[in-house]
Amino acid sequence: QSVTCSTWGQNPSSGTYTSAIGFTTGSGIILSKMLNPVSSTLTGINFALSNDVTAVGIAGYGVLMNASGVIIATTNTTSITTPMLGTVQNFAFPVWQTLAPGTVYYIGLAQPTPGAPAGAFATPYVIPNVYFSTPLIGGAFTAISLNFGYFDIQAVFTPTIQLSSTSTVVCSGSTASINVSGPTSYTWSQG
């Protein structure tokens, strides 16, 4: 698994996810199964795109599904452009999704038109039942063949913010140090 304080993925943390995989004659959703351990807020999905030039112009959007194959939420649709090839793209949910603890979810990329936009990392062995596909409307999950390799599909969560201070009370004219870790940027408000 690839895990940071704000992302989770069922894939190696490093690798080249550029092999072209997709629904070459139809449409569907490529998904990764995820057991959410604690109550969390899902803000989006990161998905590695292939470096295949035929993927340019293919539309895609992020999908969150429950274990019954019901689509819970989708992101806005994005058309792949040349600069996006061979990169990991973020598909953000317009409304953040609250995930229940101890619950299985599926996250992935919906591909409404034929092509091979998904990037995969070739490897001789992938743990079974990690990646699945469904029709665009959701429904039954079909395990994806292991010989495709790993997909770089990541759940993106709100980061955990840790705050500490040298004092809980600050009088006018006094100072206190506040230490924050977690997100990459901060906004200070005196409210």
Side-chain angles (χ1 to χ4, degrees):
Q1 292 185 350
S2 170
V3 180
T4 69
C5 69
S6 61
T7 63
W8 172 93
Q10 194 88 291
N11 55 280
S13 57
S14 63
T16 305
Y17 296 89
T18 55
S19 297
I21 307 293
F23 300 93
T24 56
T25 59
S27 62
I29 307 172
I30 295 174
L31 300 150
S32 179
K33 184 178 181 179
M34 174 184 82
L35 173 60
N36 189 56
V38 297
S39 182
S40 55
T41 303
L42 183 70
T43 63
I45 296 167
N46 288 341
F47 199 98
L49 300 177
S50 75
N51 61 1
D52 186 347
V53 295
T54 63
V56 172
I58 293 176
Y61 54 91
V63 176
L64 171 65
M65 297 175 74
N66 67 19
S68 298
V70 175
I71 296 173
I72 298 170
T74 60
T75 68
N76 293 328
T77 301
T78 301
S79 289
I80 298 172
T81 62
T82 301
M84 296 166 73
L85 296 176
T87 66
V88 175
Q89 293 294 309
N90 178 263
F91 295 84
F93 290 105
V95 176
W96 293 357
Q97 301 298 307
T98 302
L99 304 185
T103 305
V104 171
Y105 294 95
Y106 291 78
I107 57 169
L109 181 72
Q111 178 191 332
T113 56
F121 172 52
T123 182
Y125 180 75
V126 175
I127 299 167
N129 299 319
V130 172
Y131 303 113
F132 298 86
S133 66
T134 68
L136 279 181
I137 60 170
F141 297 100
T142 302
I144 293 178
S145 175
L146 303 180
N147 63 349
F148 287 129
Y150 284 100
F151 295 93
D152 191 357
I153 305 171
Q154 301 173 10
V156 180
F157 299 99
T158 54
T160 301
I161 300 173
Q162 296 181 356
L163 178 67
S164 64
S165 173
T166 57
S167 176
T168 58
V169 177
V170 182
C171 296
S172 180
S174 299
T175 61
S177 295
I178 299 174
N179 301 304
V180 182
S181 63
T184 56
S185 64
Y186 310 93
T187 301
W188 174 257
S189 169
Q190 295 185 26

